[in-house]
Amino acid sequence: MEPALHLDTADGIATVRIANPAKRNAMTTDMWRALPGLLAGCAADPAVRVLVLTGEGDTFCAGADISTLTEGAEASRDLAVAAEEALAAFPKPTVAAVRGHCVGGGCQLAAACDLRFAAEGASFGITPARLGIVYAASSTRRLVELVGPATAKYLLFSAELIDTDRALRTGLVDEVWPRDALDKRVAEFARVLASRSQLTQAAAKEFAAGPANAERLAYWTDQARGSGDTAEGVAAFLERRAPQFGWTVGRPR
């Protein structure tokens, strides 16, 4: 199998699979370059309501494929950061489904997702200290916001791997499941996310990323007033039916 990112979309859920099984799904230069464009396509597709990022087979992603990094460490780091930022900025909910190794650039991608569900036995690590690479400032800040400064320093200083128990305890992952139950749980939760109001989700995602200025607060107030989502949500609750929310990501801002 040639290294590639595979996209499947069904029932409002886009699943991106990192596939380079010969090297534990390590990301090649071409794969780093391809990810932002693939995400842009999913963001613009009104049929996509949720994105799941996972790895082919029994591994999430073992980082960067060092054999393809021919442009130098700094250029390669910039490619990874661009992919990470594109994932973090994706305007719809994102879930990383992790099994096996989630290391280096793989952990960087998982951390850029909104949520991380892991299979028992998965391992996590951020390993630039093994190669003498300066980890990007934006990636460091995202890691600190996720797990706190102490755990971030542990991971970055030591380049040691941690197991799912410690990852769950420190907030690096949100849920841990038996290996044979992970796919079912992720699919189930993705369907829940796809059924909820995109208006609520998009506003919450933006607010969680940092303080909103007056212009953005006014924008979301106007969107809430004009969307009809609240009226639909209340009506559906009273009528004991599933709501059919109409607001979608991609409206002019």
Side-chain angles (χ1 to χ4, degrees), residues 15-231:
T15 301
V16 177
R17 294 188 181 276
I18 304 168
N20 187 6
K23 297 190 177 180
R24 291 183 176 177
N25 294 335
M27 291 280 288
T28 66
T29 298
D30 287 344
M31 292 163 74
W32 287 120
R33 284 201 180 97
L35 185 56
L38 185 153
L39 294 172
C42 290
D45 186 349
V48 173
R49 300 181 68 90
V50 181
L51 185 136
V52 175
L53 180 67
T54 192
E56 190 73 30
D58 293 331
T59 295
F60 182 74
C61 175
D65 186 344
I66 303 298
S67 67
T68 70
L69 304 184
T70 59
E71 302 175 20
E74 185 174 343
S76 298
R77 185 194 66 183
D78 291 346
L79 282 175
V81 169
E84 174 194 0
E85 293 301 323
L87 184 56
F90 190 77
K92 305 169 188 181
T94 56
V95 182
V98 179
R99 52 174 56 80
H101 281 74
C102 180
V103 180
C107 199
Q108 193 173 343
L109 290 174
C113 290
D114 296 315
L115 299 165
R116 287 148 297 280
F117 289 13
E120 293 173 347
S123 56
F124 302 81
I126 300 175
T127 55
R130 293 183 183 176
L131 301 172
I133 295 172
V134 175
Y135 201 54
S138 58
S139 305
T140 301
R141 287 193 296 270
R142 179 169 291 113
L143 182 65
V144 170
E145 290 172 358
L146 184 60
V147 301
T151 298
K153 290 175 182 177
Y154 178 93
L155 291 167
L156 287 167
F157 291 1
S158 71
E160 292 290 290
L161 304 187
I162 63 173
D163 61 16
T164 49
D165 288 343
R166 185 164 186 172
L168 183 63
R169 188 170 67 250
T170 58
L172 185 57
V173 301
D174 299 284
E175 295 185 8
V176 176
W177 290 84
R179 291 174 65 88
D180 59 358
L182 179 65
D183 288 344
K184 179 180 178 181
R185 171 55 181 160
V186 170
E188 172 188 83
F189 190 74
R191 286 193 295 270
V192 169
L193 294 179
S195 74
R196 305 307 192 207
S197 167
Q198 279 197 30
L199 173 67
T200 301
Q201 293 169 343
K205 186 161 183 170
E206 183 175 317
F207 294 161
N213 59 32
E215 181 181 351
R216 294 306 296 162
L217 290 172
Y219 166 81
W220 286 113
T221 299
D222 289 344
Q223 292 299 301
R225 287 173 178 165
S227 69
D229 271 16
T230 301

